[in-house]
Amino acid sequence: MKVEYTGRQTDVPARLRTLAERKHKKLEKFVGRPLRAHVILSEDRHRRIAEVSLHTPRHDMTATEASADMRVSLTTVMHKLLRQPQRYTGKRQSKRKGAGPGLAEPEA
């Protein structure tokens, strides 16, 4: 997986890179094999903003989070990205199982 890092108004320290790579490995279990990821870390007065875009063969995922600490922002963004493929696969599985509760047959 290719991971690109961009720092806006700040540099990207090595400890944040290792944290992001560790979280991406966990995310790789759910998604399969993502082609590329782009991590954007920016700083605006008292806010530390982390934005992660993940491009996979099936769909693209993006999440953004702002907090006072960059590690907290990055961890929260990765948790948001972990929920997105789970929700996507859940929707696909429910469609494959058949009719939902709104389309059930009327009782006699």
Side-chain angles (χ1 to χ4, degrees), residues 91-103:
K91 286 181 182 179
R92 281 190 18 220
Q93 288 175 354
S94 66
K95 286 182 182 178
R96 291 179 76 191
K97 287 184 180 178
L103 300 176

Side-chain angles (χ1 to χ4, degrees), residues 74-88:
L74 189 58
T75 304
T76 307
V77 162
M78 297 309 285
H79 285 294
K80 286 182 179 181
L81 280 176
L82 276 172
R83 285 192 303 253
Q84 287 184 16
Q86 291 171 348
R87 186 175 22 193
Y88 177 72

Side-chain angles (χ1 to χ4, degrees), residues 52-88:
V52 179
S53 300
L54 190 69
H55 306 284
T56 63
R58 295 187 184 215
H59 62 284
D60 298 335
M61 296 179 285
T62 304
T64 305
E65 180 64 30
S67 71
D69 186 22
M70 188 63 79
R71 290 177 57 95
V72 172
S73 297
L74 189 58
T75 304
T76 307
V77 162
M78 297 309 285
H79 285 294
K80 286 182 179 181
L81 280 176
L82 276 172
R83 285 192 303 253
Q84 287 184 16
Q86 291 171 348
R87 186 175 22 193
Y88 177 72

